[in-house]
Amino acid sequence: MTTILALDTSMEACSAGLWVDGRIFARKETLQRGHSQKILPMIAQILGQAGIVLSEVNAVAFTSGPGSFTGLRIGFGVVQGLAFGANLPVIPVSTLEVMALSAFHKYNLPEDALILPALDARMNEVYWGVYRAGEKNTTVIQPDRISTPEVIPTLVRESIAAGIGSGWSYNLGQGISANLVDVSLEPNAEDLLVLALNRYQAGDIVAVDTVELSYLRENISWKKRQKLRPESPEKT
Amino acid sequence: MRVLGIETSCDETGVAVYDSQAGLLAHTLYSQVAVHADYGGVVPELASRDHVRKLLPLIRQTLADANCTGEQIDGIAYTAGPGLVGALMVGGAVGRSLAYAWNIPAIGVHHMEGHLLAPMLETEPPDFPFVALLVSGGHTQLVAVAGIGRYEILGESLDDAAGEAFDKAAKMLDLDYPGGPEIARLAERGDPDRFRFPRPMTDRPGLDFSFSGLKTFTLNTVAEHRGDAVLPDEQTVADIACAFQEAVVDTLVIKCRRALDQTGMKTLVIAGGVSANRRLRNKLEAALARQGARVYYARNEFCTDNGAMIAYAGCQRLLAGQHDDLAIRAIPRWPMDTLPPLGNPDAPKQ
Ligand SMILES: Nc1ncnc2c1ncn2[C@@H]1O[C@H](COP(=O)(O)OP(=O)(O)OP(=O)(O)O)[C@@H](O)[C@H]1O
Ligand SMILES: [Mg+2]
């Protein structure tokens, strides 16, 4: 019996999914904030519904970036607690890769279609990559990276079947030919489960201690310490 | 009851195991000071990223140091606030989900309650009721403490916290972050009679503080004595550090005595990073002895942020039957006087 737990809190969607030998149990909500309050109850619900206890799970999959920094840390923090507590291996998956598979299913794209998921990284930058999607798997064509939107057309010469994610609101379509664009598509735990199952079967699992989040953005003009006390006026 | 405590509210990752019978079994601390040193203050995003890397290894190490396995832990306490929200979230996510995996209760602890109770880890702990002076990087508060969760704020800083004032003054003198220990070190070589800095808000009644004027005074004194150089000469820098520390310490001492007079209490507890200050401890001890009162504080390493105080505070609340649901709590702003009192698990919780 193979049982995989998956969770995603990397963007506005907050979702959890459980694969139990072909049966899928899933929860999803779209939230501006409050992922931290919802994610563990969601996990408890689907485990309860499936009649599974955490120690029976074989591996925990999660989106390890890119995405909202805090969102990624909530997801990974929960994974660290669960994996350490129940002694489980983990399967980190790129947020962009999950989105590529979601687009493949949502739009019934042909096998071998090229998909360019892109997320708004703010400050006139986007996180993006290029994937070739299939029914159950994806292939990395260009690895995830961060760049200005203008750079992307100079690096992507192929014709793109689907441009997806908030990064496409930068009008990437002007420089890249994409058959369809969906700026609102977000990753979800069900597609994450499909990818995770494949990895699990290929033995592609890791110990939780070896995982690093892929923020992609390493250098920004870091904001100084914020005020801790409510009553005081803003500091200069 | 044996509790794993997790602290990640700011720039230290702290983990501890506290046992209500056997006392503190182990505690570890990883300080990010070096990470933030170049910025002259804590950078929230860098702090969060570092907690993610350090927390799990620290938990493993602390459990090993305590010679105990997960099955022997009865509850998990993590700092739920106040603090940097992203940093809090790391300890909360790991702590809450680990408790879920171990099928034990979890509780989100108020960071300042942790500081306030830290002296309880010493061999001669204070008895309730007492007045507490919380002096740290983010807080300067006088609190009447009737018992755990029974807090009345008597006064607080209207602007900068005392620790923050130390840090800012240190920056003006080109000292390293955090500035408190640096100023204290330099002050020992300073001439206490050379400069006299104001004792803000001591000439009028009340228990509030204000340290921002002192900051301006420091800046002006530096400017007056540096000539064409970036800084005044070494001795003058030490003299300024000394005058600054005397002003902060005297101000704190005056208000503490006033708070004891006002409440009629004979016990003072000082907690938070600045309570490690030797000059403050000495002056308080001398001043309070004269009015027949006594001051208590934690050992130095438990004055600043640590996991032990969170494990202890959480253990008291868990023992009283309080615990959280499955939500991860991260409350960046959280007034301490809204906490539920101990011994009444049905009281509404924030
Ligand atoms: N010996 C000392 N003398 C004066 N100040 C000190 C001393 N040691 C530490 N400090 C100050 O204590 C502060 C750190 O204390 P602490 O870790 O309790 O604060 P924090 O956690 O940043 O803030 P808070 O607890 O309010 O959220 C710093 O501002 C530091 O300069
Ligand atoms: Mg503190």
Side-chain angles (χ1 to χ4, degrees):
Chain A
M1 187 162 108
T2 303
T3 306
I4 309 256
L5 177 66
L7 56 105
D8 169 55
T9 55
S10 62
M11 304 298 294
E12 286 190 2
C14 174
S15 62
L18 184 71
W19 165 282
V20 188
D21 273 344
R23 288 189 303 154
I24 287 184
F25 303 84
R27 289 279 186 290
K28 179 176 179 173
E29 273 185 63
T30 300
L31 307 161
Q32 291 278 2
R33 43 180 57 242
H35 297 64
S36 55
Q37 273 136 60
K38 290 290 170 68
I39 189 68
L40 274 171
M42 278 184 177
I43 291 169
Q45 273 172 22
I46 55 175
L47 285 170
Q49 198 185 345
I52 293 280
V53 293
L54 189 63
S55 57
E56 292 174 292
V57 169
N58 296 108
V60 187
F62 71 107
T63 40
S64 59
S68 134
F69 297 160
T70 298
L72 292 175
R73 282 190 287 265
I74 292 171
F76 186 38
V78 168
V79 169
Q80 286 178 314
L82 298 180
F84 172 61
N87 202 12
L88 306 173
V90 302
I91 306 174
V93 181
S94 156
T95 313
L96 298 174
E97 185 170 357
V98 178
M99 290 167 68
L101 189 68
S102 299
F104 178 84
H105 289 141
K106 181 171 178 188
Y107 294 107
N108 261 317
L109 299 176
E111 294 268 343
D112 289 348
L114 288 188
I115 301 169
L116 195 160
L119 289 170
D120 185 358
R122 307 224 185 102
M123 296 185 274
N124 194 43
E125 287 190 305
V126 290
Y127 307 117
W128 64 281
V130 179
Y131 289 86
R132 173 173 288 134
E135 194 54 50
K136 293 226 158 75
N137 218 338
T138 50
T139 316
V140 185
I141 303 299
Q142 293 213 28
D144 298 355
R145 56 182 289 177
I146 183 169
S147 75
T148 60
E150 295 79 43
V151 169
I152 304 178
T154 69
L155 297 171
V156 178
R157 294 288 149 72
E158 306 90 337
S159 131
I160 297 295
I164 51 166
S166 57
W168 280 83
S169 48
Y170 280 100
N171 231 341
L172 303 180
Q174 284 188 338
I176 311 168
S177 80
N179 293 348
L180 74 90
V181 170
D182 178 352
V183 295
S184 63
L185 191 135
E186 289 219 354
N188 71 67
E190 281 184 65
D191 289 300
L192 170 57
L193 269 181
V194 173
L195 291 171
L197 186 68
N198 247 299
R199 301 244 175 117
Y200 180 76
Q201 283 161 350
D204 198 359
I205 52 173
V206 295
V208 66
D209 304 65
T210 64
V211 178
E212 290 262 355
L213 288 171
S214 10
Y215 297 104
L216 298 186
R217 173 172 279 150
E218 301 301 336
N219 301 304
I220 61 172
S221 52
W222 304 107
K223 268 188 287 172
K224 288 287 169 63
R225 174 184 177 138
Q226 64 200 37
K227 193 73 196 172
L228 299 179
R229 292 194 317 128
E231 307 84 352
S232 316
E234 274 300 310
K235 291 194 288 191
T236 48
Chain B
M1 172 177 277
R2 196 171 280 192
V3 175
L4 177 74
I6 297 174
E7 156 63 37
T8 65
S9 72
C10 194
D11 59 344
E12 337 258 7
T13 319
V15 181
V17 178
Y18 175 80
D19 184 299
S20 53
Q21 245 109 70
L24 191 63
L25 299 184
H27 70 98
T28 52
L29 187 80
Y30 165 77
S31 171
Q32 303 180 350
V33 163
V35 175
H36 304 284
D38 292 347
Y39 301 89
V42 178
V43 185
E45 177 59 21
L46 290 183
S48 304
R49 289 188 181 195
D50 220 25
H51 286 306
V52 172
R53 270 182 238 114
K54 298 303 187 318
L55 181 53
L56 203 49
L58 273 191
I59 292 176
R60 280 188 202 280
Q61 189 197 321
T62 312
L63 287 171
D65 290 354
N67 209 351
C68 103
T69 62
E71 287 93 65
Q72 292 169 288
I73 299 291
D74 304 306
I76 294 184
Y78 64 86
T79 305
L84 302 169
V85 67
L88 291 167
M89 204 63 94
V90 176
V94 174
R96 186 65 199 86
S97 54
L98 183 55
Y100 172 73
W102 282 346
N103 203 15
I104 55 176
I107 186 143
V109 169
H110 193 289
H111 179 79
M112 299 314 294
E113 177 168 87
H115 276 305
L116 186 139
L117 296 177
M120 299 293 181
L121 290 163
E122 301 307 323
T123 41
E124 229 188 294
D127 290 323
F128 297 110
F130 54 74
V131 170
L133 171 71
L134 301 175
V135 263
S136 58
H139 293 80
T140 305
Q141 285 182 327
L142 277 162
V143 189
V145 181
I148 295 177
R150 296 165 67 198
Y151 308 127
E152 185 199 341
I153 311 287
L154 302 172
E156 61 192 330
S157 177
L158 305 176
D159 41 59
D160 292 348
E164 192 177 8
F166 267 99
D167 296 336
K168 286 179 176 175
K171 208 169 174 181
M172 293 171 200
L173 299 175
D174 199 31
L175 303 172
D176 286 343
Y177 178 86
E182 294 292 308
I183 293 222
R185 192 175 48 78
L186 263 189
E188 282 177 23
R189 285 192 270 124
D191 172 4
D193 299 322
R194 168 117 181 253
F195 300 109
R196 187 177 164 83
F197 282 32
R199 274 67 173 153
M201 295 183 70
T202 51
D203 53 354
R204 64 189 107 151
L207 294 170
D208 286 337
F209 304 87
S210 165
F211 292 106
S212 69
L214 209 46
K215 194 174 61 186
T216 315
F217 200 90
T218 309
L219 195 63
N220 292 342
T221 311
V222 170
E224 271 165 40
H225 290 85
R226 72 183 164 89
D228 295 329
V230 188
L231 279 177
D233 62 274
E234 242 179 80
Q235 185 56 48
T236 303
V237 168
D239 296 342
I240 292 173
C242 183
F244 174 86
Q245 175 174 269
E246 288 303 300
V248 176
V249 166
D250 281 350
T251 306
L252 295 173
V253 172
I254 291 166
K255 300 279 163 138
C256 284
R257 294 184 55 186
R258 218 178 258 179
L260 288 172
D261 284 342
Q262 192 176 305
T263 56
M265 293 186 197
K266 291 286 178 205
T267 307
L268 178 75
V269 165
I270 56 172
V274 183
S275 72
N277 187 281
R278 180 152 299 284
R279 186 77 180 142
L280 175 65
R281 291 176 174 186
N282 291 345
K283 276 204 156 176
L284 273 174
E285 265 154 14
L288 264 55
R290 270 182 263 126
Q291 64 188 85
R294 203 182 146 180
V295 58
Y296 292 81
Y297 41 80
R299 70 193 91 159
N300 278 356
E301 61 180 333
F302 293 162
C303 289
T304 43
D305 292 353
N306 64 86
M309 66 186 194
I310 301 305
Y312 177 84
C315 184
Q316 306 314 308
R317 290 192 172 276
L318 288 167
L319 279 171
Q322 297 178 6
H323 59 83
D324 294 344
D325 61 14
L326 282 177
I328 296 158
R329 297 165 78 209
I331 313 159
R333 295 165 178 199
W334 190 7
M336 200 163 85
D337 49 8
T338 62
L339 289 174
L342 214 66
N344 180 5
D346 300 326
K349 221 184 313 170
Q350 167 101 358

